[in-house]
Amino acid sequence: MWWLFYCVLTRYTQLNLIKKTRSMQKTYPIGIRQEKYLTTNLDVIVVDNQHCYAVIALQGAQVLSFIPKKTMPPTDRLWLSRGNQYTINKAIRGGIPLCFPWFGPHSNPNYPSHGFARNKIWQCEDIRLEHDQSHILKFKLGHDEETHAVWPYKFVLELTIHCADTLQLDFKLTNLDTAKFDFTFAWHSYFNVDLSSTEIYGLQGLSYIDQLTNTTNLQSEQFLMIEREVDRIYPQTHGEYVIQSKAVEPIKITTNTESVVVWNPWIEKSKKLSDVIDEDWKNFVCVENGQVATAVQTLDVNQTASYQLNIA
Ligand code: TA6
């Protein structure tokens, strides 16, 4: 009799444990799965719908890959370095890193270049399957002791990513503090190109700060070609760009952000980048849309700042 009772109790416990485990496992809409990226320990969400294939790391809510299925052959619009080690607190080179709450190096050399947002693990708050079978994923990053130590403000930052024929990113920052704060940000996008044939349109007639010579110049040419190390900030732009390069279909960028940075490390600088292998610098150009103009952005208490980026 006691043996029967033991068997029933064991089976009940097992079923209860299975039910609890299943309730803990997230259920995602069709076309979505969470997994480890390749052989790394990096948690990513893979989107595979009729429009595109995309990979988004929970670290930084960083898009690592975006392949529109209408491109023939389907080609990744983004470049991701083969040299990434995917270690904790190390920025991932490639895809679309989000630079926030500052762009570039901090005056304190101990603070992370381009801010902390791309190094932090974000929460995936919601994933929706739209009527057109595209997916909208919502990620959130809030303040914690680590962020407060380098940027003493309360905030919530939401990044909404719409994976369709185009890739739409929506940045929404809310000031939860009792004081206003300044910030700069940029999507530090790495585009998959043949650099030697790349032409970047949308910059003609604009002034730019050459970060290499710290001079301000005017771009008179219709398009920018990359024939040496380039590191330029265009503070005020029209928000529409086209990147043309052989072997890939033109990449069309539209955004309501004001500034854009164009960067490629070229030969010597890339030798100093441990996560850029061999001559891989020939395979990408960074066109970084954001608010990195000389004047920082000020956000008042309880106010929200919203910016969009669309990549086709
Ligand atoms: O793209 C502009 C820039 O600030 C460059 O000066 C270079 O430092 C690049 O960002 C890469 O920065 P990262 O911290 O990602 O190596």
Side-chain angles (χ1 to χ4, degrees):
M1 186 60 180
W2 279 109
W3 171 249
L4 180 62
F5 173 74
Y6 171 77
C7 291
V8 168
L9 181 64
T10 306
R11 187 63 186 141
Y12 171 78
T13 309
Q14 279 175 340
L15 290 174
N16 210 16
L17 190 61
I18 289 167
K19 196 167 68 174
K20 274 186 181 165
T21 307
R22 282 190 180 144
S23 66
M24 282 166 62
Q25 282 169 348
K26 280 190 171 182
T27 51
Y28 291 116
I30 191 168
I32 299 286
R33 65 181 188 271
Q34 180 167 336
E35 61 188 31
K36 296 294 185 184
Y37 185 62
L38 304 177
T39 59
T40 74
N41 194 36
L42 186 75
D43 290 312
V44 296
I45 290 179
V46 177
V47 180
D48 190 355
N49 59 40
Q50 67 186 51
H51 304 281
C52 69
Y53 174 89
V55 178
I56 303 167
L58 292 185
Q59 178 181 322
Q62 186 164 335
V63 181
L64 304 182
S65 175
F66 172 64
I67 303 176
K69 293 184 177 177
K70 69 179 185 333
T71 50
M72 294 310 289
T75 307
D76 205 327
R77 309 303 260 163
L78 304 173
W79 175 86
L80 186 65
S81 179
R82 297 181 294 150
N84 281 308
Q85 298 301 310
Y86 300 105
T87 52
I88 299 291
N89 255 338
K90 174 81 174 70
I92 299 167
R93 190 170 306 281
I96 308 179
L98 179 65
C99 306
F100 174 84
W102 60 80
F103 181 85
H106 192 279
S107 54
N108 182 330
N110 298 318
Y111 288 11
S113 168
H114 289 315
F116 49 70
R118 64 179 181 170
N119 297 336
K120 296 286 286 180
I121 303 301
W122 290 50
Q123 292 303 313
C124 183
E125 292 280 304
D126 183 47
I127 302 180
R128 286 204 316 270
L129 177 62
E130 298 294 284
H131 293 307
D132 67 356
Q133 302 305 302
S134 63
H135 289 93
I136 295 183
L137 301 89
K138 187 170 181 180
F139 296 86
K140 190 176 279 191
L141 178 71
H143 58 271
D144 60 20
E145 281 183 18
E146 191 180 31
T147 65
H148 209 266
V150 297
W151 198 60
Y153 301 105
K154 294 180 170 60
F155 72 93
V156 62
L157 179 54
E158 295 168 317
L159 187 61
T160 303
I161 303 175
H162 190 177
C163 298
D165 288 337
T166 68
L167 181 68
Q168 168 101 9
L169 301 168
D170 291 279
F171 168 106
K172 184 180 170 191
L173 172 66
T174 303
N175 180 343
L176 302 179
D177 211 289
T178 54
K180 62 184 177 183
F181 57 58
D182 293 343
F183 72 98
T184 54
F185 95 98
W187 283 293
H188 197 299
S189 310
Y190 288 75
F191 292 102
N192 174 29
V193 297
D194 163 65
L195 194 68
S196 64
S197 64
T198 293
E199 298 173 353
I200 303 169
Y201 293 81
L203 302 167
Q204 186 176 24
L206 302 178
S207 70
Y208 64 89
I209 302 158
D210 187 326
Q211 297 253 79
L212 305 175
T213 61
N214 205 20
T215 56
T216 298
N217 308 288
L218 183 73
Q219 165 141 352
S220 51
E221 303 83 5
Q222 186 191 6
F223 54 83
L224 173 62
M225 292 193 76
I226 310 294
E227 297 162 321
R228 64 186 67 80
E229 180 183 355
V230 169
D231 194 344
R232 297 181 175 185
I233 298 178
Y234 295 76
Q236 297 296 330
T237 69
H238 309 306
E240 293 195 357
Y241 313 85
V242 176
I243 304 172
Q244 289 196 355
S245 169
K246 74 179 180 191
V248 294
E249 290 184 15
I251 301 167
K252 300 181 180 66
I253 302 166
T254 51
T255 176
N256 65 342
T257 56
E258 294 172 289
S259 321
V260 70
V261 179
V262 179
W263 177 63
N264 180 277
W266 206 251
I267 304 168
E268 293 313 316
K269 182 63 72 65
S270 69
K271 287 175 184 170
K272 298 173 185 169
L273 300 174
S274 60
D275 49 13
V276 176
I277 286 178
D278 306 333
E279 296 194 326
D280 285 1
W281 57 271
K282 293 179 177 179
N283 304 325
F284 74 84
V285 67
C286 286
V287 176
E288 310 159 27
N289 305 105
Q291 297 294 112
V292 296
T294 39
V296 293
Q297 316 298 307
T298 299
L299 196 58
D300 284 326
V301 175
N302 293 328
Q303 294 303 299
T304 293
S306 293
Y307 294 98
Q308 289 79 39
L309 173 68
N310 189 287
I311 297 169

